Amino acid sequence: DAGVTQSPTHLIKTRGQQVTLRCSPISGHKSVSWYQQVLGQGPQFIFQYYEKEERGRGNFPDRFSARQFPNYSSELNVNALLLGDSALYLCASSFIPPSTQGKSEAFFGQGTRLTVV
Amino acid sequence: AQKITQTQPGMFVQEKEAVTLDCTYDTSDPSYGLFWYKQPSSGEMIFLIYQGSYDQQNATEGRYSLNFQKARKSANLVISASQLGDSAMYFCAMRGRAANSGYALNFGKGTSLLVTP
């Protein structure tokens, strides 16, 4: 069975440009979350979607947006890229609805490494 | 606010020995989940072990066990019989309910583990 897949794996963009990152969850998983991991730090939460609805949003500027499609795949968009947006972007999927209990969000993709120059 | 603290930036352990990675957390909610992830240099976050706040027994998954001390708000990871392939970054994370953040994972800064022959 395929795990969480993200594309592209690597990306180089120029300041001011826009970027779209894609995530396909494990088959049957309806919840997708996005995280940003800057070098040397732990991942920071950006967005969470369940059944195509936004269920949570982290402390990121409005330049960051996301959506979830009917097949539960998701896109993360970042506009007006800054040098500080350079990071590993991780997508996680889970089967159960978002909750405090249960092994939700146990499955991460390999990430998209974004470099802004 | 929810906070995860990992006080060991780096740890060394000899092959076949056991090692404990420390994690403390801070939350006022009674319902939360605690996770440990391994992140090799490839970047993918690999789920290791989960402990729910209402679980009565400490979680175990193969060579991994979680020393859950609720009153002290600590969730240390114990790796028994270390292997060279265990060399990686290890992240402790907590999932709890937070305003606007849904049920997102809140990560610590990580501990770099190096297993030596």
Side-chain angles (χ1 to χ4, degrees):
Chain A
D1 289 341
V4 178
T5 56
Q6 293 184 242
S7 62
T9 54
H10 293 82
L11 201 54
I12 299 176
K13 288 286 190 178
T14 304
R15 275 179 299 175
Q17 284 188 316
Q18 176 264 342
V19 68
T20 298
L21 310 181
R22 295 175 176 83
C23 172
S24 293
I26 293 172
S27 178
H29 286 197
K30 300 180 180 180
S31 177
V32 170
S33 298
W34 288 95
Y35 293 82
Q36 180 197 63
Q37 187 178 19
V38 174
L39 194 63
Q41 299 292 322
Q44 296 290 316
F45 170 70
I46 312 176
F47 285 107
Q48 182 179 66
Y49 279 80
Y50 178 72
E51 287 276 21
K52 294 158 282 184
E53 290 187 1
E54 183 181 303
R55 291 295 191 95
R57 174 185 287 251
N59 189 23
F60 279 80
D62 292 342
R63 299 185 295 107
F64 288 76
S65 62
R67 54 181 176 168
Q68 187 177 34
F69 299 98
N71 66 353
Y72 304 112
S73 67
S74 177
E75 285 182 353
L76 175 69
N77 294 286
V78 187
N79 293 323
L81 285 166
L82 303 174
L83 295 180
D85 296 330
S86 296
L88 179 68
Y89 288 84
L90 294 163
C91 171
S93 79
S94 63
F95 177 73
I96 67 175
S99 71
T100 56
Q101 300 295 314
K103 291 182 184 178
S104 181
E105 279 186 278
F107 305 98
F108 280 79
Q110 82 284 5
T112 294
R113 200 168 293 276
L114 172 65
T115 302
V116 182
V117 297
Chain B
Q2 299 169 346
K3 187 178 179 181
I4 292 285
T5 302
Q6 295 180 254
T7 57
Q8 306 154 312
M11 291 279 288
F12 291 89
V13 65
Q14 206 160 14
E15 201 177 3
K16 300 180 185 177
E17 296 293 312
V19 62
T20 298
L21 306 183
D22 294 342
C23 173
T24 58
Y25 60 92
D26 187 21
T27 181
S28 56
D29 291 333
S31 179
Y32 51 88
L34 295 160
F35 296 75
W36 276 93
Y37 286 90
K38 172 185 177 181
Q39 187 177 42
S41 56
S42 60
E44 184 178 0
M45 297 290 268
I46 301 169
F47 167 75
L48 296 178
I49 197 166
Y50 163 82
Q51 179 87 42
S53 59
Y54 298 124
D55 294 344
Q56 295 297 312
Q57 294 190 334
N58 287 346
T60 60
E61 294 277 357
R63 295 187 297 112
Y64 305 107
S65 60
L66 200 152
N67 184 2
F68 181 46
Q69 298 190 36
K70 197 169 182 177
R72 302 174 83 174
K73 292 187 176 178
S74 75
N76 298 339
L77 176 70
V78 180
I79 305 175
S80 63
S82 297
Q83 302 172 355
L84 296 178
D86 293 335
S87 295
M89 282 293 291
Y90 288 80
F91 289 96
C92 179
M94 178 174 66
R95 187 181 63 236
R97 190 75 166 104
N100 296 326
S101 297
Y103 296 96
L105 286 170
N106 189 12
F107 286 83
K109 291 188 175 182
T111 295
S112 177
L113 177 66
L114 181 62
V115 180
T116 59

